[in-house]
């Protein structure tokens, strides 16, 4: 095959204990999937269910097995925010998947950051415009190595984020409004899920700013920690 320009590199994630990598096809994200976070964003979780948005696959910044990444402070913002999230990797395709079968479609789990230009998001909301430039910018999705689903029992897991050693976000995975099975069931009504799709499942309360020089450590019980160093703006 001849290409007019070089084809893009395949975005991918490391897999704990394996040489082979997981190819990332699409990056789906859930908005407002923890009630306390929905409230801190000014929403009413009793009236507005969670919803979906997306990032480009090459927004992924994949951690090595050691769990460290570095990202440049992004352009056109003065309010970069952290959102720690459980990430689900789809290993088997499906559409209109029943919640009872949904976990059969999961390859594995990781911890990620849904980095957000909060000032651009507020402006987009106020103008009734899409969120893409608030959410889908370069290096906006740092992500740890994946743990295969058979090796992670997540029902009792905690999710947490520290910045420079200070606690910022903490919750129980059990607090998800849509648990992982429901996220897959709902999303697969809207699009046909494919092997390689990953889903950021939503952030708990405590989102806040990151500055150049900050070091954020994202953790979910039983998954590799993800350390993200924020570099100066390029
Ligand atoms: Mn998020």
């Amino acid at each position: 095959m001849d290409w007019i320009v070089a084809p893009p590199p395949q975005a991918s994630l490391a897999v704990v204990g394996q040489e082979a990598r997981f190819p990332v096809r699409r990056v789906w994200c859930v908005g407002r999937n923890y009630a306390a976070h929905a409230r801190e964003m000014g929403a009413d979780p009793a009236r507005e269910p969670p919803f979906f948005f997306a990032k480009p696959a090459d927004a992924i910044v994949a951690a090595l097995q050691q769990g460290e990444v570095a990202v440049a402070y992004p352009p056109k913002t003065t309010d970069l925010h952290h959102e720690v999230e459980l990430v689900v990797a789809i290993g088997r395709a499906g559409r209109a998947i029943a919640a009872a079968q949904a976990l059969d479609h999961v390859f594995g789990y990781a911890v990620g950051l849904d980095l957000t230009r909060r000032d651009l998001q507020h402006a987009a909301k106020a103008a009734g415009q899409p969120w893409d430039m608030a959410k889908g910018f370069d290096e906006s999705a740092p992500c740890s190595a994946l743990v295969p689903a058979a090796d992670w029992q997540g029902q009792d897991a905690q999710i947490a984020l520290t910045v420079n050693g200070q606690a910022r976000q903490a919750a129980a995975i059990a607090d998800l409004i849509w648990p992982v099975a429901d996220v897959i069931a709902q999303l697969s009504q809207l699009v046909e899920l494919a092997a390689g799709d990953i889903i950021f499942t939503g952030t708990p309360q405590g989102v806040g700013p990151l500055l150049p020089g900050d070091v954020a450590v994202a953790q979910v019980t039983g998954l590799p920690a993800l350390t993200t160093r924020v570099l100066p703006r390029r």
Side-chain angles (χ1 to χ4, degrees):
M1 177 77 75
D2 285 338
W3 300 105
I4 296 299
V5 297
Q10 173 66 56
S12 66
L13 295 173
V15 178
V16 171
Q18 297 188 33
E19 288 288 315
R21 294 180 67 87
F22 181 90
V24 176
R25 182 172 189 262
R26 296 177 291 191
V27 179
W28 305 108
C29 302
V30 186
R32 299 182 203 142
N33 202 14
Y34 289 85
H37 170 65
R39 285 190 289 269
E40 79 180 348
M41 297 306 291
D44 177 357
R47 296 187 46 183
E48 299 172 74
F51 55 89
F52 297 99
F53 60 94
K55 298 185 186 232
D58 64 4
I60 290 287
V61 185
L64 305 176
Q65 299 278 2
Q66 295 81 0
E68 291 212 5
V69 302
V71 301
Y73 196 91
K76 301 297 276 185
T77 184
T78 55
D79 198 20
L80 177 68
H81 269 209
H82 54 76
E83 297 192 356
V84 61
E85 310 204 2
L86 172 68
V87 177
V88 179
I90 299 295
R92 185 152 68 79
R95 70 160 70 92
I97 299 165
Q101 274 78 53
L103 298 185
D104 298 343
H105 292 257
V106 175
F107 166 75
Y109 298 92
V111 56
L113 289 187
D114 167 16
L115 293 176
T116 302
R117 293 191 281 212
R118 193 71 72 200
D119 42 3
L120 297 195
Q121 187 190 33
H122 287 322
K125 284 181 186 177
Q129 291 174 350
W131 288 9
D132 302 50
M133 291 302 107
K135 290 289 196 178
F137 53 93
D138 297 337
E139 300 185 330
S140 61
C143 195
S144 79
L146 286 162
V147 171
D151 298 336
W152 188 66
Q153 309 307 320
Q155 311 86 281
D156 300 321
Q158 301 290 310
I159 183 168
L161 180 115
T162 63
V163 178
N164 306 331
Q166 305 281 317
R168 290 276 189 92
Q169 295 189 263
I173 293 296
D175 292 340
L176 281 166
I177 295 171
W178 285 346
V180 170
D182 290 27
V183 166
I184 292 168
Q186 294 280 348
L187 181 56
S188 69
Q189 301 274 345
L190 292 162
V191 295
E192 180 171 3
L193 289 176
D197 286 348
I198 67 172
I199 309 169
F200 281 64
T201 56
T203 198
Q205 68 279 10
V207 300
L210 287 172
L211 296 169
D214 283 349
V215 177
V217 178
Q219 289 183 286
V220 170
T221 314
L223 300 179
L226 171 69
T227 298
T228 302
R229 190 173 300 276
V230 183
L231 303 177
R233 208 193 301 262
R234 276 202 278 269

